[in-house]
Amino acid sequence: MSSYIVRRLIMMIPVVILISIIVFFIIQLPPGDFISGYAAKMTTSGEVMDEAALKLLRESYGLDQAWYVQYGKWIWGMISKGDFGYSLNYNRPVSSIIGQYMSLTLVVSIISMLFTYAVSIPIGIFSAVRQYSIADYIFTAFGFIGMATPNFLMAIILMYLSYVYVGDPMLGLFSPEFIDAAWTYAKFVDFFKHMIIPVIVIGLGSTAELIRVMRAQMLDEMDKPYMLTARSKGLSERRIIMKYPVRAAINPIVSTLGWSLTAVFTGSTITAIVLNLPLQGPVMYRALLSQDMYLAGTWLLFMAVCIVLGTLISDILLVWLDPRIRMRKGM
Amino acid sequence: MKAETATAKQSQDLLQVEELNIHFPTDHGMLKAVNGVSFNVYRGKTLGIVGESGCGKSITGKAIIGIQPKTSAISGSIKLGDVDLVKLKRNGREIRAIRGSKIAMIFQEPMAAFSPLYTIGNQIMESILLHRTKNKKEAAMLTVDILQRVGISNPEKRFHQYPHEFSGGMMQRAMIAMALSCEPELLIADEPTTALDVTIQAQVLDLMKQLQREFGMAIVFITHDLGIVAEMCDEVAVMYLGKIVEQATVREIYKNPKHPYTRGLLRSIPTIGSRKERLESIEGTVPIPINMPPMCGFFDRCQDRIPGVCDKREVPETQLSDNHRVSCFLYADTDNETEILS
Ligand SMILES: Nc1ncnc2c1ncn2[C@@H]1O[C@H](COP(=O)(O)OP(=O)(O)O)[C@@H](O)[C@H]1O
Ligand SMILES: [Mg+2]
C-alpha cells in the first residue's frame, strides 16, 4: 500500500509540471496583457500614458520577454524561494493573497462537504430501508427541489429570510467588526453563524444528489443475494444493513471524496459572489478578466494540484476500501 | 405395535410443514407461489424437493427460516418441535436465534452469496460469534477448523482471503462451512451445485454426504435434477406449480413413479451411456399460478389427462402406501375422495 502511494506521488510530479506549462501558455495567449488593460482603464478615466512609460512598466515586470522565459522565471522563483510572483491587481505578492483566501475557501469547502455527507448519507440509507414510506416521498421531493433550485436563487432567498427573521442578511463570512480582529470565541461564533447560509447553498445541490445516489445504491445492494445469506445466519436487520449494503453503497461515495472536494472548492464561485464571501472564486474571476497573470497562473496551478491530489486521495481510498481493486493493483 | 412405530417415527420428526401457503398479491390477482404444501423432515434424513424452475422450491426453503420476500403473505404452519415458525415475528429475536444455529441454509450462487468486501473468515465467523461464543479468538479457531473440515486446504490462509480469491467450488465449500459452523439440526440446500461444473458438483455432493454422516443433520435438498436426488436423498417431494404432486421414498419414486409429471421428469434424466440423441422433455409451459380455476395445474401438459375430470375440480391427494402419496385423478379412489370432502 505505501509503495503504491509513493509511486503515485512520484507520478504526480510530471503531471503537475505539464499542467503548469499549459496553464501559463494559455494565460498569456489572449491578445494584450495586464499593462494594456491597465492603460485602457487609465485612458477611460482621462489619463494618458505614453508608450515609453508603458514600456518601462512592461520591462520592470518582465512582461516584454517571451512566455517561456517568463514561465521559467516564475517556476524558478517558486522552487527556489517559494515566490509565486506578484499580483499587479492587488499590488501584493501572490502568496499573500493565496494565503488569505485559500485557507478560508478550504475551510468553507470542507465544512460544506461534511454537511453534505452528514445529511445525505443517513437520509439516503433511511429512504432506502423505508422505501415508499411517507418519509421517503418527502425526502425525494426535497431532493428534487434541492437539485432544481439554482444556487444564486437559494442564496438570495436565504439571505432574505435571514434578514427578515434575524435582522442580518449574513453577508460575507464575518460581521464588519470581526473582519480584522484576532480569533476569539466571539469571532468564532460569528464566523459559524455566517457559515450557515453558504454551507447550505454550496452543499444543497450535492446533498440532494447524494441522497439520490445513496438511496439508489442502497436499494441495489439490498437486493443482492448476500443479504439473504446474512439473514440466514440470524443477524439482526440493523446489523446487516450497516455492515453489508451501507458499506458497499458508501464505498463509491467515499472514494470520490477527493474529486468532490475539488468540485466544491472550484464550484462555489457564483455563490461566493452573491454572498460576498471572501473566497477564492471571485478573486480568481477578476484575475482572469484583468490578465493578472501570476495570480491567475498560480491559482490555476493550485487548482490543478488540488485536482491531482483529490484524484490521488480518491484512488487511495478506493484501493483501501475495496479488496477486489487492492488485488488487481497487486497489493 | 402400530402405536409404537408411530411414536418412534414421531420422535424422529424434526420439522413439520403443514398446509403452507405463500401468496404474492399482484396487479392481476393473487400469485399462489406455494399452495397448500405439507411435508415432514426427519432427523438425520434428506428430503429432496424437485421441480422445474418457478414451481416454488426456493420460496418454500426460504420460508422455513422466514426469509421469504417481504411482499408475500404466508399462512399454514412450520413446526420445529413445539414452535410454529410461521407465527414468529419476521426478523424477530426468536426466529433469528434459530437461523444459522438450528436451521441453516446454503444458496445456489456461492459467489453472490458472500459479500465481496469482507474476508471469508469474517463472514463465517459472524455466525459463530452470534450463536456459539463471544470470544473472537475462539471463534476464529472454530472457523479455521470448520474450513478444514469442508476440505479447504491451508485454512489459516484462506481465512484471510476474499471471495474473489476463491474458485466457485471452493466458495460452495466455504458456504457449507458457514452453514455448518453452528452444527444445525437442519440444512436447507437450495440447488447447491447448479452453478458448478459437473466434476466439482460431484465433489460437493460427496462432501455434503460425508458431512451429514459426521454432523448428523437433516437436509432439505432443493434441486431441479432428479438425477441428483437419487444420489442424495432418502425421500423426495415432487413439486409442480406450488404444490407437492407426489411424494415417496427415492426407491419408490424411481421404481414406481405415479404422477405423469414425475414420469416426465424421470424420462428427462440423462443416464450415463444412454444413446438417446435428445432428452425427452415435458412439452408445454408452466402456467402462471394467478387466478387458477379449480383444476389440475398439469392438465395442459399431461399425456394421461381425463378431460371433464382433471379440469373440473381440485385434485385430491391419494395415500398409496405408508411412504407414497400422489395428487392425481388417475389414482383418486372415491372412498378417499369422500373422506376428503367430508
Ligand atoms: N419477490 C417475488 N415477488 C413475486 N413473485 C415471486 C417473488 N419471488 C418468487 N416469486 C414467484 O414465486 C414462484 C416460485 O419462485 P421460486 O420459489 O423462486 O421458484 P423455484 O422453484 O425456481 O425456486 C415463481 O412463480 C415466482 O414468480
Ligand atoms: Mg430456486
Side-chain angles (χ1 to χ4, degrees), chain A residues 157-187:
Chain A
I157 293 173
L158 288 180
M159 275 193 303
Y160 174 76
L161 291 178
S162 170
Y163 180 68
V164 169
Y165 292 103
V166 191
D168 179 353
M170 299 283 175
L171 275 172
L173 280 182
F174 303 101
S175 301
E177 66 268 29
F178 286 114
I179 286 181
D180 291 317
W183 279 98
T184 57
Y185 180 70
K187 179 169 178 173

Side-chain angles (χ1 to χ4, degrees), chain B residues 24 26 31 33 51-60 62 69 71 190-191 222 289:
Chain B
F24 291 93
T26 71
L31 189 154
E52 287 163 294
S53 163
C55 69
K57 308 179 298 288
S58 295
I59 298 264
T60 304
K62 287 172 189 166
T71 48
D190 188 359
E191 312 223 16
I222 296 171

Side-chain angles (χ1 to χ4, degrees), chain B residues 178-248:
Chain B
M178 177 154 79
L180 297 188
S181 62
C182 298
E183 307 189 354
E185 294 170 347
L186 173 61
L187 176 68
I188 301 160
D190 188 359
E191 312 223 16
T193 58
T194 306
L196 306 175
D197 58 42
V198 183
T199 46
I200 310 285
Q201 216 174 65
Q203 287 172 15
V204 170
L205 292 177
D206 284 343
L207 174 73
M208 287 184 69
K209 277 193 285 191
Q210 175 209 327
L211 290 169
Q212 186 177 28
R213 279 194 299 273
E214 289 175 25
F215 286 80
M217 76 276 184
I219 300 178
V220 171
F221 197 100
I222 296 171
T223 176
H224 62 263
D225 184 348
L226 257 177
I228 292 182
V229 165
E231 211 175 310
M232 293 298 296
C233 305
D234 301 297
E235 237 191 317
V236 53
V238 180
M239 256 184 109
Y240 187 79
L241 214 60
K243 292 182 170 166
I244 292 180
V245 293
E246 182 165 12
Q247 184 177 357

Side-chain angles (χ1 to χ4, degrees), chain A residues 26 28 32 41 55 94 115 124 127 135 151 162 166-167 177 189 194 213 262 291 300 315 325:
Chain A
I26 290 175
Q28 59 77 45
K41 232 192 302 179
K55 191 163 176 280
V94 167
F115 166 82
S127 279
N151 278 356
S162 170
V166 191
E177 66 268 29
V189 171
H194 280 84
V213 172
T262 326
Q291 295 198 31
L300 284 177
D315 284 359
I325 299 176

Side-chain angles (χ1 to χ4, degrees), chain A residues 129 225-226 228-229 231-237 239 242-244 247-248 251 321-324 326-327, chain B residues 62 65 67 91 96 99-100 107 112-118 122-123 126-127 130-131 162 164-165 178:
Chain A
V129 174
Y226 66 66
L228 279 184
T229 315
R231 284 200 189 104
S232 77
K233 292 185 224 180
L235 293 167
S236 71
E237 276 306 285
R239 267 206 36 211
M242 296 316 271
K243 177 167 177 179
Y244 294 101
R247 165 80 196 273
N251 269 7
L321 286 170
D322 195 326
R324 286 163 297 183
R326 214 179 305 154
M327 169 96 156
Chain B
K62 287 172 189 166
I65 52 172
I67 57 169
N91 295 330
R96 282 195 278 114
R99 285 182 197 158
F107 299 90
F114 280 82
S115 157
L117 299 176
Y118 297 92
N122 175 312
Q123 296 183 60
E126 209 169 27
S127 245
L130 209 58
H131 302 294
Y162 289 90
H164 63 263
E165 297 169 77
M178 177 154 79

